[in-house]
């Protein structure tokens, strides 16, 4: 085995920055750039510098190990993919403008892979043939390309990013479920090895189809997702979270019969509630939509809630909001819609939480007018009850009825049971036990490699910079000789660094002719888990300083014991991430 030497800062290409990049809104973006881990190339496109690349490779290796531990095999599929495959699955059109498309010199169309369901299905069809060869699980770690409408937050939402994607093929549902559960468990272990504080949450299967799915959310205020969770263990993306919204017992709901009130206000719930002197939750909010066939519906939700578009899409697949023009044509009065006296053919679709609210305060389908006391059953009927409202603070868990808590999260991974969506559309069949051809049952499992790297930094930083967990730090220990050229400091520091290396520790030595302050700042900014500070005065007393980046604690170690103690400390922390 080649001898391993310490990394030398004097040789390293690691141009750290004092200033924050102007476009950085969040800690991970700011710090990954300042600590010389990444550099922007274009919007949502980044290069990795040597230090960032070391962390990225370590992260990839953790993901790889966890995939291999559950019997998934690594391969490497191409990124450039013929359009024909995307036509077969129907996603050439479904994927929309997020798909990067290009033509070759013969005008043949290609896509840059945003994900690899098409290619893997193409790869195995006609070659994976018999139930006897199943299940199979394959993965790769490659760049993905998505022309995101809003690339932002550095590595969190890029247009070029690294994903680990695994795909599994099965003869039976039970087999698919088994692999899916193993993948979910592996994702939990990856989170733990990365030191991520996370939640597995119920989620929408979106673009990709399929019914059973779970997202892995790293908790962070910078996260774009919101999670509803409960002490009973229930956790879901708020896009799909079910909640018990308390039916409100307000006098407006029990009061007298239907009466029309002149409400000359801006058509907002806040204005209506203020005008009537009732809380917003005592009102009912209306939104108008159409389905792909053109059937119109007015949706009703509690006045203080927002519409959950993902849930609405389950109730009315492919729905779109009506434009002002369409509303006008349909005879719908914006800001004043209600279930009493809607134009013919417009359906009343209401959130399930309104079922127990007998009398509604709601629009009167007439400008500047609302109804109070509109009674379900007598004044109007609801055509469809559906779960439409976005869960929010104050709502209760649908499982145990305790109040839900809310947190923001970064989606670092997602596991799906795809079923036969791709095997059917792309004609990928196997022979079952009875000699019948059947489409494969498939699972797919995506992990955001570059995104999870940023998520780690998002959770592990302080005012000094990044605080890497040992598992993916670019090196484990930094040795800082405070005075280069000094005939005690420099050789002692070098010896410590070499000896630590010999004990299998990953070491960097800051052998630059820089002031101590510069070395301290860079070491904190880059975020080496441990620092060994070798100074003149310390050496005179026969000691070096050992600093734990995370706690900031410093201890003096006797020179003759330092290497052994430091190596033991590193190995101890390392073991916690295995
Ligand atoms: P999002 O909802 O955040 O756009 P997605 O659900 O479209 O993500 P998937 O198709 O499930 O993403 O991809 C698998 C994983 O790839 C995600 O869990 C995420 O970690 C990562 N990922 C997806 N899009 C990006 C992106 N634009 N930049 C970086 N990582 C991404
Ligand atoms: Mg996803």
């Amino acid at each position: 085995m080649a001898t391993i030497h310490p990394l030398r800062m004097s040789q390293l290409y690691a141009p750290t920055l004092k200033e924050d990049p102007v476009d950085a809104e969040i800690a991970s973006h700011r710090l990954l750039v300042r600590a010389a881990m990444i550099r922007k190339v274009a919007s949502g496109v980044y290069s990795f510098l040597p230090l960032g690349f070391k962390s990225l490779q370590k992260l990839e290796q953790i993901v790889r190990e966890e995939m291999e531990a559950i019997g998934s095999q690594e391969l490497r599929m191409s990124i450039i993919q013929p359009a024909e495959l995307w036509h077969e699955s129907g996603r050439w059109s479904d994927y929309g403008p997020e798909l990067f498309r290009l033509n070759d010199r013969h005008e043949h169309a290609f896509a840059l892979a945003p994900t690899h369901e098409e290619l893997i299905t193409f790869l195995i069809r006609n070659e994976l043939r018999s139930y006897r060869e199943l299940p199979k699980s394959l993965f790769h770690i490659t760049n993905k390309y998505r022309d995101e409408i809003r690339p932002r937050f550095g590595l969190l939402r890029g247009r070029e990013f690294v994903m680990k994607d695994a795909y599994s093929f099965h003869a039976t549902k039970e087999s698919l479920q088994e692999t899916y559960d193993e993948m979910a468990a592996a994702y939990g272990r990856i989170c733990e090895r990365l030191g991520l504080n996370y939640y597995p949450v119920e989620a929408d299967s979106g673009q990709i189809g399929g019914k059973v799915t779970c997202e892995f959310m790293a908790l962070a205020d910078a996260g774009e997702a919101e999670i509803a969770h409960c002490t009973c263990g229930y956790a879901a993306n708020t896009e799909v979270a079910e909640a018990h919204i308390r039916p409100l017992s307000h006098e407006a709901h029990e009061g007298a019969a239907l009466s029309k009130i002149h409400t000359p206000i801006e058509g907002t719930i806040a204005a209506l509630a203020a005008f009537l002197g009732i809380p917003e939750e005592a009102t009912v909010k209306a939104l108008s939509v159409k389905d792909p066939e053109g059937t119109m519906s007015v949706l009703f939700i509690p006045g203080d809630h927002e519409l959950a578009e993902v849930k609405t899409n389950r109730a009315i697949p492919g729905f779109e909001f009506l434009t002002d023009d369409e509303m006008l044509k349909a005879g719908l009065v914006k800001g004043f819609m209600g279930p009493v006296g809607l134009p013919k053919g417009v359906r009343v679709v209401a959130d399930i939480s309104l079922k127990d609210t007998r009398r509604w305060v709601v629009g009167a389908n007439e400008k500047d007018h609302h109804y109070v006391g509109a009674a379900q059953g007598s004044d109007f009927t609801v055509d469809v009850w559906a779960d439409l409202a976005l869960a929010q603070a104050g709502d209760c868990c649908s499982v145990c009825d305790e109040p839900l808590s809310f947190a923001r999260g970064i989606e670092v991974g997602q596991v799906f049971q795809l079923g036969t969506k791709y095997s059917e559309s792309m004609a990928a069949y196997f022979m079952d036990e009875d000699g019948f051809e059947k489409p494969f049952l498939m699972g797919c499992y995506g992990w955001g490699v570059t995104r999870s790297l940023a998520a780690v930094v998002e959770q592990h930083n302080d005012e000094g910079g990044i605080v890497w967990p040992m598992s993916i730090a670019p090196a484990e220990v930094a040795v800082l000789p405070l005075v280069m050229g000094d005939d005690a400091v420099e050789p002692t520091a070098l010896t410590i660094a070499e000896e630590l290396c010999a004990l299998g520790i990953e070491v960097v030595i800051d052998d630059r002719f820089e002031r101590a302050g510069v070395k301290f700042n860079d070491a904190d900014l880059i975020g080496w888990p441990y620092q060994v500070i070798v100074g003149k005065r310390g050496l005179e007393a026969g000691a070096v300083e050992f600093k734990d980046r995370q706690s900031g604690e410093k201890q003096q170690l006797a020179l003759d014991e330092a290497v052994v103690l430091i190596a033991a400390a590193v190995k101890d922390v390392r073991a916690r991430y295995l």
Side-chain angles (χ1 to χ4, degrees), residues 95 98 114-115 144 146 148 154-164 204 207-208 215-216 224 239 410-414 416 445-452:
Y95 222 96
E98 233 177 69
T115 170
K144 298 289 180 283
R146 294 183 184 181
E148 297 275 357
L155 298 183
L156 283 187
R157 186 168 294 286
R159 294 196 294 168
E160 175 183 78
F161 57 95
V162 183
M163 194 202 289
K164 181 286 300 174
D204 179 48
Q207 243 296 295
I208 218 151
E215 284 171 345
F216 286 76
E224 292 179 284
E239 287 181 343
I410 299 166
E411 181 201 318
V412 286
Q414 185 163 14
F416 291 100
Y445 318 91
W447 179 270
V449 173
T450 40
R451 181 183 283 184
S452 58

Side-chain angles (χ1 to χ4, degrees), residues 160-174:
E160 175 183 78
F161 57 95
V162 183
M163 194 202 289
K164 181 286 300 174
D165 38 329
Y167 304 89
S168 64
F169 298 89
H170 308 267
T172 65
K173 275 189 186 146
E174 295 69 33

Side-chain angles (χ1 to χ4, degrees), residues 315-335:
I316 308 175
F319 86 93
E320 281 174 35
F321 291 106
L322 295 188
T323 61
D324 287 2
D325 249 13
E326 286 172 323
M327 287 175 70
L328 206 65
K329 269 193 207 134
L332 294 168
V333 190
K334 195 179 174 186

